Amino acid sequence: MREDNFRKVIPYTPGEQPGGRVIKLNTNECPYPPSPYVVRALTEMDPDRLRLYPDPLCTRFIKALSSYYKVPENMIFAGVGSDDVLSMCFMTYFNSGREILFPDITYSFYDVWADVYRVPYKTVPLLDDFSLDVEGFKAGNGGVIIANPNAPTGRLEKTETIEEILKANNDSVVIVDEAYIDFGGESALPLIFKYDNLIVVRTLSKSRALAGMRLGYAFGNEKLIKYLNDVKFSVNSYTLNTPSILAGEAAIEDDAYFKEIRDKVIKVREETKQSLKEMGFEFCDSMTNFIFAKKQGMDAKAVFEKLKERNIYVRYFNKPRINEYLRISIGTDEEMKTFIKALKEILE
Ligand code: PMP
């Protein structure tokens, strides 16, 4: 067998999903259950519906997003989590053969999609405070992708910064990955009506507690969304399954519950920042549901492992520039108290 038959890639490494009773602060999930509307939509669904293929247009989910965000339906795309949406975006928009640009420290799936779809890329190093080097995104390119707020740093860029990058790139598509925008950032969403090169990607995994359902979506002008749908319908027309479409619709409709759990996460995040600061940790002022923190002289990998021995899972990245940091997702108030206590004991 010839080896060149195979598409070979180094895959993305997702955070661990340990079983049993652990404190899980490693994959930025929501610590609270999904909306009761979601539970009702799923329990009331007639199982006979599973005999039929799902709606390939995900109409009910798209309609719910359209009325909630006041964006026309033909400017919205739905996918199996934002990973699926982003992967489709790479396939659809980064097709020129020219190098795409993204920061050196960002969501570690971007270089994997670039490799798997044979998209050439160049990383633009973040500045020392982990802010974007805006000038670096003004060089000619075949596209740009930026997570805002960024992961794993948690840092939020101003909408003006995003707009500056959009203006400098009117020949290519700029994807803004807003997986964490609900936790305090200002969205670039209104800019889709002003710039025809902007795609804003979102998820229900974090702020709407539906990581297990796999629901993501994108906003962009009609032409960008049409091309994205053309690619989707050329790969797999039935991406979202029927329960997901119903759950997505229900989650978007329960605005009060969404705000309640989001506010709880934000409150616990701010308290956790305070505790970490008192312990001498340094971190960007996270606007997400995680904190990316380091402490002078701390061996982050050793602490990560010691926390794991106590059944507390955080994320550690053994990569240049970030190997002194721990990424800590925000759990419940109680979980964070247990975490801080364990961290203090380990660092003693
Ligand atoms: N973008 C960023 C920046 C993320 O951190 C994640 C979560 N791993 C995703 C997208 C994907 O999330 P999901 O596929 O669950 O929507």
Side-chain angles (χ1 to χ4, degrees):
M1 176 78 80
R2 284 177 55 148
E3 284 299 300
D4 63 1
N5 287 324
F6 305 110
R7 183 176 292 258
K8 290 187 187 164
V9 283
I10 300 169
Y12 169 74
T13 318
E16 279 178 85
Q17 292 293 346
R21 282 176 61 81
V22 301
I23 295 185
K24 201 170 169 304
L25 311 175
N26 69 336
T27 49
N28 303 340
E29 288 138 334
C30 178
Y32 308 108
S35 153
Y37 286 25
V38 171
V39 179
R40 192 176 62 208
L42 294 176
T43 46
E44 286 180 358
M45 190 192 83
D46 181 356
D48 190 56
R49 292 189 65 166
L50 298 180
R51 205 169 43 75
L52 306 174
Y53 283 104
D55 168 17
L57 297 168
C58 313
T59 312
R60 290 178 63 163
F61 179 44
I62 298 265
K63 274 189 188 302
L65 291 166
S66 170
S67 75
Y68 184 77
Y69 289 108
K70 314 269 180 294
V71 173
E73 286 168 44
N74 61 6
M75 296 177 79
I76 310 175
F77 175 84
V80 187
S82 55
D83 280 343
D84 178 48
V85 176
L86 290 164
S87 148
M88 291 281 159
C89 287
F90 267 67
M91 223 191 298
T92 310
Y93 305 130
F94 297 159
N95 192 50
S96 68
R98 290 190 294 275
E99 268 177 357
I100 65 158
L101 305 176
F102 50 86
D104 63 336
I105 302 168
T106 190
Y107 187 29
S108 53
F109 225 138
Y110 300 160
D111 56 347
V112 176
W113 285 314
D115 283 339
V116 73
Y117 296 131
R118 310 285 187 256
V119 176
Y121 66 91
K122 196 175 110 193
T123 57
V124 180
L126 291 181
L127 304 177
D128 286 344
D129 63 354
F130 289 156
S131 62
L132 278 183
D133 173 11
V134 180
E135 294 309 312
F137 287 93
K138 293 183 177 172
N141 62 68
V144 170
I145 178 157
I146 289 167
N148 194 41
N150 198 12
T153 64
R155 195 186 154 107
L156 177 79
E157 294 291 343
K158 292 202 183 87
T159 311
E160 296 88 82
T161 307
I162 302 296
E163 191 160 6
E164 196 181 333
I165 292 171
L166 283 166
K167 277 186 187 149
N169 288 287
N170 49 23
D171 272 347
S172 52
V173 178
V174 175
I175 302 173
V176 181
D177 176 353
E178 292 193 341
Y180 301 100
I181 198 71
D182 288 332
F183 300 103
E186 190 193 346
S187 173
L189 174 57
L191 299 179
I192 60 166
F193 298 105
K194 199 168 160 193
Y195 296 92
D196 64 4
N197 58 334
L198 169 64
I199 279 280
V200 175
V201 179
R202 300 265 191 88
T203 179
L204 273 67
S205 296
K206 320 287 181 186
S207 56
R208 292 185 192 260
L210 282 174
M213 211 69 212
R214 313 303 300 124
L215 284 158
Y217 54 98
F219 298 117
N221 80 63
E222 202 181 325
K223 181 174 154 185
L224 292 186
I225 297 299
K226 182 203 174 300
Y227 287 142
L228 200 51
N229 269 311
D230 287 349
V231 168
K232 170 198 140 158
F233 280 95
S234 309
V235 175
N236 175 10
S237 357
Y238 303 113
T239 46
L240 268 63
N241 59 52
T242 303
S244 299
I245 294 170
L246 298 176
E249 176 191 41
I252 297 297
E253 284 174 351
D254 195 354
D255 194 40
Y257 182 82
F258 156 69
K259 288 183 172 143
E260 182 190 324
I261 59 172
R262 178 204 58 189
D263 290 350
K264 275 204 275 190
V265 170
I266 293 174
K267 181 171 176 284
V268 177
R269 177 190 72 203
E270 294 308 309
E271 287 162 3
T272 308
K273 279 182 190 170
Q274 192 53 38
S275 307
L276 288 171
K277 205 175 281 171
E278 283 163 13
M279 293 170 68
F281 278 85
E282 297 163 48
F283 43 86
C284 292
D285 188 23
S286 167
M287 285 293 152
T288 62
N289 65 341
F290 57 85
I291 300 170
F292 195 55
K294 72 167 178 183
K295 185 176 153 81
Q296 208 76 48
M298 176 184 85
D299 179 346
K301 188 163 189 284
V303 173
F304 159 78
E305 269 152 16
K306 284 193 181 134
L307 284 165
K308 201 163 162 179
E309 282 165 19
R310 297 170 183 236
N311 284 331
I312 301 174
Y313 285 69
V314 297
R315 194 88 192 258
Y316 172 74
F317 300 93
N318 200 356
K319 287 187 177 172
R321 294 189 77 191
I322 56 171
N323 56 9
E324 292 177 0
Y325 286 81
L326 294 175
R327 195 196 65 188
I328 305 142
S329 308
I330 302 302
T332 61
D333 182 40
E334 201 191 338
E335 286 174 326
M336 297 322 280
K337 287 200 168 109
T338 310
F339 160 74
I340 292 288
K341 186 166 172 281
L343 192 58
K344 278 186 181 152
E345 285 167 10
I346 290 166
L347 292 173
E348 253 168 21

